[in-house]
Amino acid sequence: MRRRPPQAKIAQRVIPHDLRPVALRDELIELGDLFRAYQQRTEPDLALLADLQERKARAFTTWADVTCEGALRWEARRAEQAAAATRLQHQQRTGTLTGGIADNDGPAVARLLTVPAQWEHALSVLAYVADHTPLPGPEARLLVLMLTLRTAHTGTGNLIGQDLTALGLTDPQDLVDKLTSCGWLTLPGTTEGLLASRPENPTPITVPSLVPHEDQAGPFTFGKKMRPKLSGWAQKFISDKKLRKAKATAATRLLALTLATQTDASGRLGPGGQGIDLHALAAWVPVDSGELQHLVDQLTAADWLTDAALTDTHLTGQLTERVLPLTCPLRREAQQPSG
């Protein structure tokens, strides 16, 4: 009896023997072999690993295009994020990062998130939440972001009522009820109990989609020590005294958080300080263009943003010196203006 040849695999996925085009199948098989060979290395080679992750991202994107399987596209995005983080780690270790992250004429800033790899992790959470918030609107986006940061490593975490009431939500109870009704969030009791919970008796929460499974890693590449750093970073936006004094809405706080990840080293908005495209900004902060001016005005009043100008296509401006420690500057290659 003829024995079947072993199944070709990559990232625990079986590569179908009839996958076409053949060149794609050959690339996936080769990548699977290369990743397994890398795992056998006695010394890491971060430049090689970043190259492999970039090849995997391209191959999985093509695979997703061929099969229309959404999970493959998400795996491709994860590979892109892993490649970027690994590349930055390699540059930090080899000293080739100097001048590559930000403009050298920017002020020296002691940032809360200190290294580019942490900035990439913060951006990866924002991107994930933008794609996976189950409800529309900026209030739901901000709440899902904060809950994701609380539960990102294991899918579980603790919450108290003040965590919700501090977000500037119009109706936090209704929003939590909707998240539990659609299955995105699981509570051991009622929403009323969650809102009433205090630090000495927090409520355990679960986000099922973030619970890792044996055969599949979670959506984020950072570890358990990184999660509270990212959560603490985001909490700074929520608890900022001037934002609270200005009675900033949840949408304004979401915009503030987003802008902090879309600057150059000196705090100028957008790639190369040339401003942020409004279509791109709408993907991060889901508000109507007519509402955006009000949010910008709130940030200006709260001494968060200065020299802001809103056109039909871009938002330009400068984050104030007091909030520069919260920024996660764009990489130089992402800062070059198009054209």
Side-chain angles (χ1 to χ4, degrees), residues 250-272:
T252 303
R253 298 175 200 221
L254 179 63
L255 178 61
L257 201 154
T258 300
L259 294 185
T261 67
Q262 301 295 314
T263 75
D264 65 10
S266 65
R268 293 175 298 169
L269 298 184

Side-chain angles (χ1 to χ4, degrees), residues 125-268:
V125 176
L126 287 175
Y128 177 85
V129 169
D131 287 342
H132 292 82
T133 300
L135 303 173
E139 291 199 351
R141 181 76 59 87
L142 181 64
L143 177 56
V144 167
L145 173 63
M146 301 308 291
L147 296 182
T148 296
L149 285 168
R150 286 294 181 93
T151 60
H153 187 63
T154 62
T156 60
N158 291 321
L159 211 63
I160 62 174
Q162 187 177 354
D163 293 327
L164 299 176
T165 57
L167 295 178
L169 304 173
T170 304
D171 189 344
Q173 180 172 332
D174 178 66
L175 204 49
V176 172
D177 283 340
K178 289 177 179 177
L179 289 177
T180 56
S181 295
C182 72
W184 189 88
L185 177 67
T186 301
L187 302 176
T190 64
T191 302
E192 291 88 343
L194 169 60
L195 288 168
S197 60
R198 300 176 59 82
E200 60 270 19
N201 188 27
T203 298
I205 64 171
T206 301
V207 177
S209 59
L210 296 180
V211 177
H213 301 286
E214 292 183 3
D215 58 343
Q216 187 175 0
F220 306 115
T221 59
F222 53 82
K224 61 182 180 180
K225 292 183 178 180
M226 188 68 238
R227 187 209 61 76
K229 289 184 179 180
L230 295 176
S231 183
W233 167 77
Q235 190 61 40
K236 290 289 186 180
F237 297 84
I238 305 306
S239 60
D240 181 77
K241 290 182 179 179
K242 292 193 175 184
L243 285 179
R244 287 189 284 114
K245 186 175 181 180
K247 297 183 179 179
T249 63
T252 303
R253 298 175 200 221
L254 179 63
L255 178 61
L257 201 154
T258 300
L259 294 185
T261 67
Q262 301 295 314
T263 75
D264 65 10
S266 65
R268 293 175 298 169

